[in-house]
Amino acid sequence: MGYRRYDYRGPDDLRAMQAMSARAGHWHPGELAWSRFEHIGREPEWPTALWEHDGRTVGWAWAQLPGSLDLDLDPEHRGLAGEMLGWFAGLVPGERAVTVLDGGLRLDRYGYRESEDAPFFVRLRRDLADLPEPVLPAGYRLRAVSGPEDAPQRARVHRAAFSTPEHPSRVSAQSYLQVMGAWPYRSELDWLVETDGGEPAAFCLAWLDGGEAVLEPVGTDPAHRRRGLAGAATLAALHAARGLGARSARVNARGDDAYPSARATYESIGFRHHDGIRSRTYVSGRKLM
Ligand SMILES: CC(C)(COP(=O)(O)OP(=O)(O)OC[C@H]1O[C@@H](n2cnc3c(N)ncnc32)[C@H](O)[C@@H]1OP(=O)(O)O)[C@@H](O)C(=O)NCCC(=O)NCCS
């Protein structure tokens, strides 16, 4: 009892969500900042609610209409899950999919069943004590992003890495500026591989909070893949993070067999799936028409 729900109003509420998830050891603040700010104009599709107890945020639920939800909850307040799912069911009466980072929260008892075919993410980690130096093939160079003036080319290489014919990336120079303005973004942790001619080819954005860095996102333009560029950009970002106090790093990578490249890239530079943490997606309700 004693919970108060309120609707997400803006970046201050994201800070409360980041603090709650960091306290619980679930989502890293950088992952939430990236996800909330990588695109412009999505807020109407993303009804989000926060729950407070004794003035402290203890859970949040972030819908992605038409039917998905990310949910995070302080383990000491697991009993709140039913109310949070009720809020989502009020928004989406049809088929619903709810994703949680596996921290012991199971949704089976709320009428949901775990999806057997949904993609999932595993958490990979790496200690930063023994970090190899980045090595680049001839014709490329590494540098950190210098500031807002880099936003257009930084967004361009992101789009090159992540766009498919069916799903062109919606990251733009404008949305990248929004990411750059978000806490805890630091351009010293945002690394680019460029050709000697100055064309961006690969990147790694790391975020730092409380001694742990997270990678979100990493990518290479398809024209430059399998030359070690993502690995080099990531090692450069990790060296920078270590210089700023990070002792370890983590990343969520697809764990299902349909998308092995990201996990293979992180494993090639020493990341491992140690702690068993992974995302789980639960489904419920009738099919959407
Ligand atoms: C995943 C991705 C970043 C890899 O970029 P890359 O520059 O080609 O990666 P690297 O050359 O540094 O790869 C290093 C190693 O990772 C492994 N690897 C990379 N891509 C792989 C693939 N498609 N299949 C299997 N192993 C792969 C290999 O061991 C590779 O070494 P090798 O080429 O000597 O065998 C790139 O494919 C990409 O941008 N994908 C789309 C965006 C994405 O999924 N980003 C990651 C999640 S945020």
Side-chain angles (χ1 to χ4, degrees):
M1 296 307 288
Y3 293 109
R4 183 176 83 89
R5 174 176 69 75
Y6 61 100
D7 291 336
Y8 178 86
R9 295 155 301 190
D12 287 348
D13 289 334
L14 188 71
R15 288 295 292 267
M17 292 162 62
Q18 289 167 312
M20 188 250 109
S21 292
R23 227 173 38 238
H26 296 163
W27 299 101
H28 190 287
E31 291 169 322
L32 293 179
W34 172 259
S35 305
R36 197 80 199 187
F37 296 122
E38 65 168 315
H39 299 149
I40 301 246
R42 303 291 298 272
E43 291 296 321
E45 299 164 45
W46 289 347
T48 301
L50 290 79
W51 280 261
E52 241 181 33
H53 182 75
D54 282 344
R56 185 148 117 149
T57 300
V58 295
W60 53 262
W62 173 351
Q64 288 111 42
L65 299 178
S68 301
L69 183 80
D70 282 331
L71 181 154
D72 200 10
L73 185 53
D74 182 329
E76 286 177 23
H77 295 270
R78 274 200 193 121
L80 187 56
E83 183 180 325
M84 297 170 87
L85 293 168
W87 170 82
F88 183 44
L91 275 181
V92 178
E95 185 177 67
R96 298 180 294 280
V98 181
T99 299
V100 294
L101 256 198
D102 186 12
L105 178 65
R106 315 283 313 191
L107 302 187
D108 318 68
R109 55 192 288 223
Y110 301 103
Y112 283 76
R113 67 183 159 74
E114 191 175 341
S115 164
E116 282 162 18
D117 47 11
F120 63 91
F121 290 83
V122 291
R123 180 189 279 177
L124 309 177
R125 266 212 159 87
R126 188 192 202 295
D127 194 276
L128 298 185
D130 61 334
L131 207 50
E133 292 299 323
V135 179
L136 283 175
Y140 295 97
R141 61 194 189 204
L142 264 165
R143 71 170 174 99
V145 162
S146 46
E149 63 278 15
D150 277 332
Q153 60 167 331
R154 186 62 185 76
R156 183 152 47 92
V157 66
H158 179 94
R159 280 197 304 276
F162 278 88
S163 293
T164 61
E166 310 78 50
H167 298 288
S169 165
R170 291 166 65 167
V171 169
S172 63
Q174 198 195 354
S175 73
Y176 209 83
L177 286 172
Q178 179 171 264
V179 169
M180 290 172 142
W183 181 84
Y185 177 87
R186 300 173 76 149
S187 58
E188 310 98 289
L189 299 177
D190 193 357
W191 281 76
L192 271 172
V193 177
E194 294 174 332
T195 64
D196 283 344
E199 277 302 302
F203 58 89
C204 171
L205 173 55
W207 306 76
L208 182 57
D209 180 57
E212 186 154 66
V214 75
L215 311 176
E216 180 70 311
V218 176
T220 301
D221 182 323
H224 300 275
R225 285 192 183 154
R226 300 305 289 264
R227 297 177 195 174
L229 304 191
T234 301
L235 288 173
L238 293 178
H239 275 281
R242 190 172 68 177
L244 292 169
R247 292 178 301 281
S248 60
R250 70 188 207 223
V251 63
N252 286 324
R254 283 279 290 273
D256 50 289
D257 293 339
Y259 199 90
S261 57
R263 182 176 181 168
T265 301
Y266 302 128
E267 287 178 343
S268 78
I269 50 168
F271 281 84
R272 294 291 177 266
H273 182 44
H274 291 301
D275 56 13
I277 300 263
R278 50 160 286 182
S279 68
R280 291 184 194 277
T281 296
Y282 292 85
V283 289
S284 163
R286 58 190 165 74
K287 291 243 177 266
L288 289 171
M289 299 301 285

